[in-house]
Amino acid sequence: MATNIRPMIKNDKAAIEKILHATPEFNSAEVKVALELIDLYLKYGISSDYHMLVAEIGNTAVGYICFGPTPMTEGTWDIYWMAVDPRQQRQGIGRRLLNEAEVGISKTRGRLILIETSSKPEYEKTRKFYESCGHEIIARIPDFYAPGDNKVIFQKKLS
Ligand SMILES: CC(C)(COP(=O)(O)OP(=O)(O)OC[C@H]1O[C@@H](n2cnc3c(N)ncnc32)[C@H](O)[C@@H]1OP(=O)(O)O)[C@@H](O)C(=O)NCCC(=O)NCCS
């Protein structure tokens, strides 16, 4: 069945919540924050400063991406969060979600996309994913999240 990318609606929340809980990379504090951002978006739309897209197969959300303009910058955007149902990974859904976010950012004259992630081995596939989507590492902050767990910052310049 075809995968469709569209803005998140209230009915998507239960499926996305399940995906977040089923994602081994996320701890319960991270899931809580991810859900708080979803609630803000579902209440206030993009005036929350968060944008949310979902990937759906049939009528079921199988992944989502959360991004928004970085406060106090001109044309810089952050990708805050994304997840694809572990049962549906490695089928190009994450790439489509990120690409659609980039298209949306370009339309607002966004010029720079930043993504922060962890250096932990559990996030290796995530780092490979960003690299394969054309994002490059521009900075590392040692011991940022915890001793031995560095912050890795990716960037992509839009032309
Ligand atoms: C990161 C994530 C969103 C990628 O979604 P996905 O739908 O599986 O990714 P895609 O199928 O679009 O992969 C695109 C490319 O990324 C790379 N990639 C993706 N998963 C990979 C893996 N497990 N190992 C190595 N490379 C990988 C590959 O180059 C892949 O292209 P290919 O399959 O043609 O080789 C997904 O793995 C996920 O939800 N991870 C857990 C949550 C997370 O880390 N979120 C991001 C931080 S908030």
Side-chain angles (χ1 to χ4, degrees):
M1 228 181 284
T3 307
N4 180 35
I5 310 286
R6 56 160 175 78
M8 185 183 288
I9 57 171
K10 283 197 174 69
N11 279 353
D12 296 320
K13 190 179 162 190
I16 299 294
E17 194 166 352
K18 269 194 199 157
I19 292 170
L20 287 166
H21 284 296
T23 299
E25 288 84 352
F26 297 153
N27 63 35
S28 55
E30 288 166 333
V31 171
K32 187 166 172 273
V33 174
L35 290 171
E36 282 168 8
L37 303 188
I38 288 171
D39 285 339
L40 279 174
Y41 172 79
L42 291 175
K43 192 164 180 194
Y44 300 110
I46 59 169
S47 55
S48 65
D49 271 344
Y50 297 107
H51 295 234
M52 303 267 176
L53 298 174
V54 301
E56 71 176 351
I57 299 180
N59 288 323
T60 308
V62 295
Y64 88 110
I65 186 164
C66 167
F67 58 103
T70 311
M72 289 177 284
T73 66
E74 282 175 24
T76 300
W77 287 63
D78 272 298
I79 306 291
Y80 293 115
W81 230 283
M82 69 182 296
V84 170
D85 184 332
R87 294 165 303 181
Q88 304 282 356
Q89 288 179 9
R90 214 65 204 265
Q91 296 174 45
I93 296 171
R95 188 191 292 281
R96 283 201 53 204
L97 278 166
L98 186 54
N99 186 57
E100 206 60 38
E102 290 172 13
V103 168
I105 291 168
S106 283
K107 283 185 184 155
T108 71
R109 296 222 200 129
R111 59 182 175 83
L112 178 64
I113 297 178
L114 297 178
I115 311 178
E116 297 176 1
T117 195
S118 153
S119 65
K120 283 195 288 194
E122 298 93 292
Y123 279 92
E124 193 186 343
K125 73 173 178 190
T126 305
R127 297 190 298 273
K128 285 201 162 129
F129 166 74
Y130 293 137
E131 271 166 1
S132 105
C133 292
H135 294 250
E136 56 169 350
I137 295 175
I138 42 135
R140 286 188 178 80
I141 303 177
D143 304 322
F144 178 84
Y145 295 109
D149 183 2
N150 312 334
K151 181 193 280 200
V152 181
I153 305 176
F154 285 83
Q155 76 165 16
K156 185 172 191 176
K157 289 183 178 168
L158 302 178
S159 46

